Amino acid sequence: MNIIIIGATSGIGRAVAEIYIGQGHRVGITGRRKHLLEEVASAAPDGQVFTQAFDVADGAAADALAGLVRRMGGVDICLYSSGYGHTNTALDPELELGQTEVNAKGFVRCAVWLFNYWAGNGLRGHLAVISSVASILPLGVCPAYSATKKFEAFYLETLRQLAVIRGADIRFTAIKPGFVDTDFIHGRHFPMTIRREKAAALIVRAIKKHKKTAVIDRRWAALGVLMRLIPSPLWNWSGRYFRPYKDMF
Ligand SMILES: NC(=O)c1ccc[n+]([C@@H]2O[C@H](COP(=O)([O-])OP(=O)(O)OC[C@H]3O[C@@H](n4cnc5c(N)ncnc54)[C@H](OP(=O)(O)O)[C@@H]3O)[C@@H](O)[C@H]2O)c1
């Protein structure tokens, strides 16, 4: 199969790419840090890995993605892993807008191009995104992060119905990890943190099983059920206990 990972220079995206490479798929990898893309490609057999450096916040990102798909001769599965988050209790507008550019607008740029590519050519496709458990409840310590992660998952839901409307054969998976030991959490220790390799294996399995949503891992899935039961006034009131966590990530 031809699989593209958008945001595969480090962390979860890179670990997922390495699994797919190990399984013998043709894998396209993207990110801004070209030398890291080359590092992944050079560890794989010649011709198996295709690289394309681009910034998802750039208006031309979809053109770069299209070029990669053309060079690979098509794409069956795409995982959007590009993203970042910051706590922002001071509500610095630059921080809020920066995350919105990458996690929301960048995702839409890529998702729209892929949807139209599959639907317009009568091809089967599968689009997955790394959302977060931060999408389950509105987190006041990181407004743009929490909201854009919700956006990613909800946008997939809208595309799922649009696929029915347009008669397109496209599957969608929203991945919602808890804490994973990547650069994202800067080596800090949070409860129920899992290794990136474990997260990647669970993500590959969820995509293979065509799961609509996958909370990673089981403990976070159980906690997610409880989180959804918290009444909104109680959740807002509990904000006073988040004050020590204003610089969490
Ligand atoms: N680690 C966690 O605890 C955790 C939990 C829940 C969800 N997530 C989500 O998982 C995803 C991956 O994060 P990670 O934990 O693997 O952290 P990471 O190691 O920092 O990976 C982030 C990836 O996103 C790419 N990226 C960032 N900005 C980009 C841009 N403007 N254009 C293109 N690519 C960009 C980075 O590539 P370049 O820098 O080379 O561009 C990198 O490959 C994120 O969406 C994050 O929100 C992480």
Side-chain angles (χ1 to χ4, degrees), residues 40-80:
V40 176
S42 63
D46 278 353
Q48 194 190 348
V49 174
F50 298 73
T51 65
Q52 181 73 53
F54 65 89
D55 184 337
V56 295
D58 186 332
D63 296 336
L65 176 60
L68 175 62
V69 171
R70 240 187 333 271
R71 280 197 290 124
M72 291 178 71
V75 57
D76 304 294
I77 298 172
C78 179
L79 171 69
Y80 188 90

mmCIF file of all heavy atoms in Angstrom, residues 40-80:
data_model
loop_
_atom_site.group_PDB
_atom_site.id
_atom_site.type_symbol
_atom_site.label_atom_id
_atom_site.label_comp_id
_atom_site.label_asym_id
_atom_site.label_seq_id
_atom_site.Cartn_x
_atom_site.Cartn_y
_atom_site.Cartn_z
ATOM 1 N N VAL A 40 15.237 9.324 7.981
ATOM 2 C CA VAL A 40 14.292 8.189 7.948
ATOM 3 C C VAL A 40 14.436 7.444 6.626
ATOM 4 O O VAL A 40 14.522 6.210 6.587
ATOM 5 C CB VAL A 40 12.828 8.682 8.125
ATOM 6 C CG1 VAL A 40 11.845 7.517 8.003
ATOM 7 C CG2 VAL A 40 12.651 9.389 9.459
ATOM 8 N N ALA A 41 14.506 8.210 5.534
ATOM 9 C CA ALA A 41 14.572 7.578 4.203
ATOM 10 C C ALA A 41 15.856 6.767 4.034
ATOM 11 O O ALA A 41 15.841 5.664 3.458
ATOM 12 C CB ALA A 41 14.475 8.648 3.116
ATOM 13 N N SER A 42 16.968 7.295 4.574
ATOM 14 C CA SER A 42 18.248 6.607 4.333
ATOM 15 C C SER A 42 18.350 5.301 5.120
ATOM 16 O O SER A 42 19.168 4.440 4.797
ATOM 17 C CB SER A 42 19.427 7.530 4.656
ATOM 18 O OG SER A 42 19.390 7.852 6.020
ATOM 19 N N ALA A 43 17.501 5.140 6.145
ATOM 20 C CA ALA A 43 17.530 3.886 6.918
ATOM 21 C C ALA A 43 16.665 2.803 6.264
ATOM 22 O O ALA A 43 16.666 1.653 6.710
ATOM 23 C CB ALA A 43 17.028 4.151 8.336
ATOM 24 N N ALA A 44 15.935 3.177 5.197
ATOM 25 C CA ALA A 44 15.026 2.222 4.534
ATOM 26 C C ALA A 44 15.619 1.784 3.193
ATOM 27 O O ALA A 44 16.504 2.460 2.653
ATOM 28 C CB ALA A 44 13.675 2.903 4.308
ATOM 29 N N PRO A 45 15.147 0.660 2.656
ATOM 30 C CA PRO A 45 15.638 0.239 1.344
ATOM 31 C C PRO A 45 15.371 1.311 0.279
ATOM 32 O O PRO A 45 14.376 2.037 0.365
ATOM 33 C CB PRO A 45 14.809 -1.018 1.053
ATOM 34 C CG PRO A 45 14.341 -1.503 2.388
ATOM 35 C CD PRO A 45 14.185 -0.287 3.244
ATOM 36 N N ASP A 46 16.252 1.389 -0.720
ATOM 37 C CA ASP A 46 16.118 2.393 -1.789
ATOM 38 C C ASP A 46 14.736 2.321 -2.448
ATOM 39 O O ASP A 46 14.254 1.238 -2.755
ATOM 40 C CB ASP A 46 17.183 2.151 -2.875
ATOM 41 C CG ASP A 46 18.512 2.760 -2.458
ATOM 42 O OD1 ASP A 46 18.533 3.459 -1.432
ATOM 43 O OD2 ASP A 46 19.513 2.503 -3.163
ATOM 44 N N GLY A 47 14.135 3.470 -2.662
ATOM 45 C CA GLY A 47 12.875 3.532 -3.416
ATOM 46 C C GLY A 47 11.628 3.256 -2.586
ATOM 47 O O GLY A 47 10.512 3.355 -3.089
ATOM 48 N N GLN A 48 11.794 2.928 -1.288
ATOM 49 C CA GLN A 48 10.601 2.615 -0.482
ATOM 50 C C GLN A 48 10.006 3.859 0.180
ATOM 51 O O GLN A 48 8.803 3.926 0.414
ATOM 52 C CB GLN A 48 10.964 1.585 0.609
ATOM 53 C CG GLN A 48 9.726 0.964 1.260
ATOM 54 C CD GLN A 48 10.054 0.143 2.496
ATOM 55 O OE1 GLN A 48 11.210 -0.167 2.785
ATOM 56 N NE2 GLN A 48 9.018 -0.209 3.239
ATOM 57 N N VAL A 49 10.876 4.838 0.464
ATOM 58 C CA VAL A 49 10.403 6.022 1.190
ATOM 59 C C VAL A 49 10.536 7.265 0.305
ATOM 60 O O VAL A 49 11.570 7.490 -0.326
ATOM 61 C CB VAL A 49 11.205 6.206 2.504
ATOM 62 C CG1 VAL A 49 10.837 7.518 3.193
ATOM 63 C CG2 VAL A 49 10.935 5.037 3.443
ATOM 64 N N PHE A 50 9.470 8.051 0.263
ATOM 65 C CA PHE A 50 9.425 9.282 -0.526
ATOM 66 C C PHE A 50 9.338 10.458 0.447
ATOM 67 O O PHE A 50 8.526 10.421 1.374
ATOM 68 C CB PHE A 50 8.205 9.282 -1.452
ATOM 69 C CG PHE A 50 8.212 8.170 -2.455
ATOM 70 C CD1 PHE A 50 7.967 6.866 -2.066
ATOM 71 C CD2 PHE A 50 8.478 8.430 -3.786
ATOM 72 C CE1 PHE A 50 7.991 5.823 -2.989
ATOM 73 C CE2 PHE A 50 8.497 7.401 -4.725
ATOM 74 C CZ PHE A 50 8.259 6.095 -4.320
ATOM 75 N N THR A 51 10.157 11.461 0.244
ATOM 76 C CA THR A 51 10.140 12.597 1.176
ATOM 77 C C THR A 51 9.653 13.870 0.481
ATOM 78 O O THR A 51 9.870 14.054 -0.715
ATOM 79 C CB THR A 51 11.555 12.856 1.755
ATOM 80 O OG1 THR A 51 12.416 13.272 0.693
ATOM 81 C CG2 THR A 51 12.126 11.624 2.423
ATOM 82 N N GLN A 52 9.002 14.708 1.247
ATOM 83 C CA GLN A 52 8.574 16.005 0.722
ATOM 84 C C GLN A 52 8.524 16.981 1.896
ATOM 85 O O GLN A 52 7.654 16.855 2.770
ATOM 86 C CB GLN A 52 7.196 15.889 0.073
ATOM 87 C CG GLN A 52 6.677 17.174 -0.528
ATOM 88 C CD GLN A 52 7.399 17.542 -1.822
ATOM 89 O OE1 GLN A 52 7.472 16.734 -2.735
ATOM 90 N NE2 GLN A 52 7.918 18.748 -1.882
ATOM 91 N N ALA A 53 9.467 17.915 1.934
ATOM 92 C CA ALA A 53 9.474 18.883 3.030
ATOM 93 C C ALA A 53 8.496 20.008 2.719
ATOM 94 O O ALA A 53 8.561 20.601 1.644
ATOM 95 C CB ALA A 53 10.885 19.443 3.217
ATOM 96 N N PHE A 54 7.567 20.249 3.615
ATOM 97 C CA PHE A 54 6.715 21.440 3.489
ATOM 98 C C PHE A 54 6.105 21.806 4.832
ATOM 99 O O PHE A 54 6.000 20.973 5.738
ATOM 100 C CB PHE A 54 5.639 21.286 2.406
ATOM 101 C CG PHE A 54 4.590 20.229 2.655
ATOM 102 C CD1 PHE A 54 3.425 20.521 3.357
ATOM 103 C CD2 PHE A 54 4.746 18.941 2.158
ATOM 104 C CE1 PHE A 54 2.438 19.557 3.554
ATOM 105 C CE2 PHE A 54 3.772 17.972 2.342
ATOM 106 C CZ PHE A 54 2.616 18.272 3.048
ATOM 107 N N ASP A 55 5.734 23.071 4.905
ATOM 108 C CA ASP A 55 5.100 23.619 6.108
ATOM 109 C C ASP A 55 3.590 23.587 5.875
ATOM 110 O O ASP A 55 3.102 24.187 4.903
ATOM 111 C CB ASP A 55 5.599 25.070 6.284
ATOM 112 C CG ASP A 55 5.099 25.720 7.558
ATOM 113 O OD1 ASP A 55 4.069 25.286 8.105
ATOM 114 O OD2 ASP A 55 5.748 26.687 7.996
ATOM 115 N N VAL A 56 2.851 22.915 6.743
ATOM 116 C CA VAL A 56 1.400 22.810 6.527
ATOM 117 C C VAL A 56 0.701 24.168 6.670
ATOM 118 O O VAL A 56 -0.438 24.333 6.223
ATOM 119 C CB VAL A 56 0.740 21.776 7.480
ATOM 120 C CG1 VAL A 56 1.226 20.380 7.203
ATOM 121 C CG2 VAL A 56 0.931 22.156 8.942
ATOM 122 N N ALA A 57 1.402 25.126 7.311
ATOM 123 C CA ALA A 57 0.814 26.458 7.466
ATOM 124 C C ALA A 57 0.983 27.312 6.212
ATOM 125 O O ALA A 57 0.452 28.415 6.134
ATOM 126 C CB ALA A 57 1.455 27.166 8.660
ATOM 127 N N ASP A 58 1.718 26.773 5.241
ATOM 128 C CA ASP A 58 1.956 27.488 3.987
ATOM 129 C C ASP A 58 0.755 27.265 3.050
ATOM 130 O O ASP A 58 0.262 26.140 2.928
ATOM 131 C CB ASP A 58 3.243 26.895 3.369
ATOM 132 C CG ASP A 58 3.695 27.642 2.131
ATOM 133 O OD1 ASP A 58 2.839 28.220 1.441
ATOM 134 O OD2 ASP A 58 4.905 27.626 1.869
ATOM 135 N N GLY A 59 0.327 28.330 2.409
ATOM 136 C CA GLY A 59 -0.812 28.221 1.491
ATOM 137 C C GLY A 59 -0.582 27.218 0.371
ATOM 138 O O GLY A 59 -1.537 26.709 -0.223
ATOM 139 N N ALA A 60 0.702 26.925 0.065
ATOM 140 C CA ALA A 60 1.014 25.997 -1.031
ATOM 141 C C ALA A 60 1.177 24.550 -0.542
ATOM 142 O O ALA A 60 1.618 23.676 -1.296
ATOM 143 C CB ALA A 60 2.292 26.445 -1.731
ATOM 144 N N ALA A 61 0.793 24.282 0.714
ATOM 145 C CA ALA A 61 1.002 22.937 1.280
ATOM 146 C C ALA A 61 0.292 21.852 0.462
ATOM 147 O O ALA A 61 0.845 20.763 0.248
ATOM 148 C CB ALA A 61 0.515 22.900 2.730
ATOM 149 N N ALA A 62 -0.921 22.149 0.003
ATOM 150 C CA ALA A 62 -1.674 21.133 -0.753
ATOM 151 C C ALA A 62 -0.974 20.808 -2.068
ATOM 152 O O ALA A 62 -1.003 19.648 -2.519
ATOM 153 C CB ALA A 62 -3.107 21.610 -1.005
ATOM 154 N N ASP A 63 -0.336 21.811 -2.691
ATOM 155 C CA ASP A 63 0.407 21.555 -3.936
ATOM 156 C C ASP A 63 1.581 20.625 -3.671
ATOM 157 O O ASP A 63 1.883 19.726 -4.458
ATOM 158 C CB ASP A 63 0.940 22.866 -4.537
ATOM 159 C CG ASP A 63 -0.194 23.785 -4.955
ATOM 160 O OD1 ASP A 63 -1.306 23.270 -5.209
ATOM 161 O OD2 ASP A 63 0.029 25.008 -5.003
ATOM 162 N N ALA A 64 2.259 20.861 -2.533
ATOM 163 C CA ALA A 64 3.393 19.991 -2.171
ATOM 164 C C ALA A 64 2.906 18.566 -1.914
ATOM 165 O O ALA A 64 3.542 17.582 -2.341
ATOM 166 C CB ALA A 64 4.090 20.548 -0.932
ATOM 167 N N LEU A 65 1.766 18.452 -1.259
ATOM 168 C CA LEU A 65 1.193 17.120 -0.994
ATOM 169 C C LEU A 65 0.819 16.437 -2.314
ATOM 170 O O LEU A 65 1.100 15.246 -2.519
ATOM 171 C CB LEU A 65 -0.035 17.263 -0.081
ATOM 172 C CG LEU A 65 -0.815 15.991 0.230
ATOM 173 C CD1 LEU A 65 0.064 14.954 0.940
ATOM 174 C CD2 LEU A 65 -2.036 16.310 1.120
ATOM 175 N N ALA A 66 0.215 17.216 -3.209
ATOM 176 C CA ALA A 66 -0.168 16.664 -4.523
ATOM 177 C C ALA A 66 1.060 16.147 -5.266
ATOM 178 O O ALA A 66 1.017 15.073 -5.889
ATOM 179 C CB ALA A 66 -0.881 17.740 -5.338
ATOM 180 N N GLY A 67 2.170 16.912 -5.185
ATOM 181 C CA GLY A 67 3.407 16.494 -5.854
ATOM 182 C C GLY A 67 3.922 15.178 -5.289
ATOM 183 O O GLY A 67 4.372 14.293 -6.027
ATOM 184 N N LEU A 68 3.826 15.033 -3.972
ATOM 185 C CA LEU A 68 4.278 13.797 -3.326
ATOM 186 C C LEU A 68 3.416 12.607 -3.786
ATOM 187 O O LEU A 68 3.939 11.540 -4.115
ATOM 188 C CB LEU A 68 4.205 13.957 -1.797
ATOM 189 C CG LEU A 68 4.531 12.722 -0.958
ATOM 190 C CD1 LEU A 68 5.964 12.242 -1.191
ATOM 191 C CD2 LEU A 68 4.314 13.004 0.537
ATOM 192 N N VAL A 69 2.103 12.829 -3.820
ATOM 193 C CA VAL A 69 1.194 11.754 -4.241
ATOM 194 C C VAL A 69 1.494 11.346 -5.689
ATOM 195 O O VAL A 69 1.526 10.161 -6.027
ATOM 196 C CB VAL A 69 -0.290 12.192 -4.077
ATOM 197 C CG1 VAL A 69 -1.242 11.185 -4.710
ATOM 198 C CG2 VAL A 69 -0.620 12.381 -2.598
ATOM 199 N N ARG A 70 1.764 12.342 -6.535
ATOM 200 C CA ARG A 70 2.092 12.062 -7.938
ATOM 201 C C ARG A 70 3.359 11.215 -8.032
ATOM 202 O O ARG A 70 3.402 10.213 -8.744
ATOM 203 C CB ARG A 70 2.307 13.376 -8.695
ATOM 204 C CG ARG A 70 1.338 13.566 -9.859
ATOM 205 C CD ARG A 70 1.618 14.777 -10.730
ATOM 206 N NE ARG A 70 2.290 15.894 -10.118
ATOM 207 C CZ ARG A 70 1.676 16.918 -9.496
ATOM 208 N NH1 ARG A 70 0.370 16.939 -9.400
ATOM 209 N NH2 ARG A 70 2.371 17.919 -8.986
ATOM 210 N N ARG A 71 4.378 11.599 -7.272
ATOM 211 C CA ARG A 71 5.652 10.853 -7.322
ATOM 212 C C ARG A 71 5.487 9.435 -6.822
ATOM 213 O O ARG A 71 6.141 8.503 -7.294
ATOM 214 C CB ARG A 71 6.724 11.573 -6.484
ATOM 215 C CG ARG A 71 7.343 12.749 -7.219
ATOM 216 C CD ARG A 71 8.633 13.179 -6.576
ATOM 217 N NE ARG A 71 8.444 13.813 -5.281
ATOM 218 C CZ ARG A 71 9.005 13.416 -4.149
ATOM 219 N NH1 ARG A 71 9.831 12.390 -4.127
ATOM 220 N NH2 ARG A 71 8.775 14.059 -3.020
ATOM 221 N N MET A 72 4.576 9.243 -5.845
ATOM 222 C CA MET A 72 4.368 7.891 -5.287
ATOM 223 C C MET A 72 3.449 7.047 -6.173
ATOM 224 O O MET A 72 3.319 5.846 -5.978
ATOM 225 C CB MET A 72 3.763 7.982 -3.872
ATOM 226 C CG MET A 72 4.714 8.542 -2.840
ATOM 227 S SD MET A 72 3.946 8.690 -1.206
ATOM 228 C CE MET A 72 3.797 6.969 -0.708
ATOM 229 N N GLY A 73 2.745 7.712 -7.086
ATOM 230 C CA GLY A 73 1.796 6.978 -7.931
ATOM 231 C C GLY A 73 0.489 6.700 -7.217
ATOM 232 O O GLY A 73 -0.220 5.743 -7.543
ATOM 233 N N GLY A 74 0.134 7.542 -6.227
ATOM 234 C CA GLY A 74 -1.145 7.411 -5.521
ATOM 235 C C GLY A 74 -0.942 7.264 -4.028
ATOM 236 O O GLY A 74 0.178 7.095 -3.551
ATOM 237 N N VAL A 75 -2.065 7.389 -3.307
ATOM 238 C CA VAL A 75 -2.016 7.206 -1.853
ATOM 239 C C VAL A 75 -3.276 6.490 -1.386
ATOM 240 O O VAL A 75 -4.374 6.815 -1.825
ATOM 241 C CB VAL A 75 -1.828 8.561 -1.119
ATOM 242 C CG1 VAL A 75 -2.933 9.561 -1.457
ATOM 243 C CG2 VAL A 75 -1.730 8.364 0.390
ATOM 244 N N ASP A 76 -3.105 5.495 -0.534
ATOM 245 C CA ASP A 76 -4.250 4.731 -0.005
ATOM 246 C C ASP A 76 -4.640 5.205 1.389
ATOM 247 O O ASP A 76 -5.818 5.243 1.729
ATOM 248 C CB ASP A 76 -3.889 3.237 0.067
ATOM 249 C CG ASP A 76 -3.456 2.705 -1.282
ATOM 250 O OD1 ASP A 76 -4.308 2.675 -2.184
ATOM 251 O OD2 ASP A 76 -2.265 2.365 -1.441
ATOM 252 N N ILE A 77 -3.619 5.498 2.195
ATOM 253 C CA ILE A 77 -3.864 5.924 3.588
ATOM 254 C C ILE A 77 -3.034 7.178 3.854
ATOM 255 O O ILE A 77 -1.873 7.255 3.444
ATOM 256 C CB ILE A 77 -3.418 4.832 4.589
ATOM 257 C CG1 ILE A 77 -4.220 3.540 4.397
ATOM 258 C CG2 ILE A 77 -3.540 5.320 6.036
ATOM 259 C CD1 ILE A 77 -3.698 2.368 5.236
ATOM 260 N N CYS A 78 -3.637 8.140 4.543
ATOM 261 C CA CYS A 78 -2.848 9.305 4.988
ATOM 262 C C CYS A 78 -3.135 9.573 6.460
ATOM 263 O O CYS A 78 -4.302 9.613 6.869
ATOM 264 C CB CYS A 78 -3.177 10.552 4.161
ATOM 265 S SG CYS A 78 -2.215 11.994 4.725
ATOM 266 N N LEU A 79 -2.068 9.711 7.228
ATOM 267 C CA LEU A 79 -2.187 10.088 8.642
ATOM 268 C C LEU A 79 -1.653 11.504 8.810
ATOM 269 O O LEU A 79 -0.492 11.783 8.467
ATOM 270 C CB LEU A 79 -1.380 9.127 9.525
ATOM 271 C CG LEU A 79 -1.259 9.540 11.002
ATOM 272 C CD1 LEU A 79 -2.603 9.438 11.722
ATOM 273 C CD2 LEU A 79 -0.217 8.681 11.723
ATOM 274 N N TYR A 80 -2.486 12.392 9.333
ATOM 275 C CA TYR A 80 -2.047 13.772 9.607
ATOM 276 C C TYR A 80 -1.592 13.837 11.065
ATOM 277 O O TYR A 80 -2.414 13.785 11.985
ATOM 278 C CB TYR A 80 -3.204 14.753 9.365
ATOM 279 C CG TYR A 80 -2.792 16.208 9.446
ATOM 280 C CD1 TYR A 80 -2.361 16.888 8.318
ATOM 281 C CD2 TYR A 80 -2.841 16.905 10.654
ATOM 282 C CE1 TYR A 80 -1.981 18.233 8.386
ATOM 283 C CE2 TYR A 80 -2.458 18.237 10.726
ATOM 284 C CZ TYR A 80 -2.032 18.889 9.589
ATOM 285 O OH TYR A 80 -1.654 20.210 9.656
#
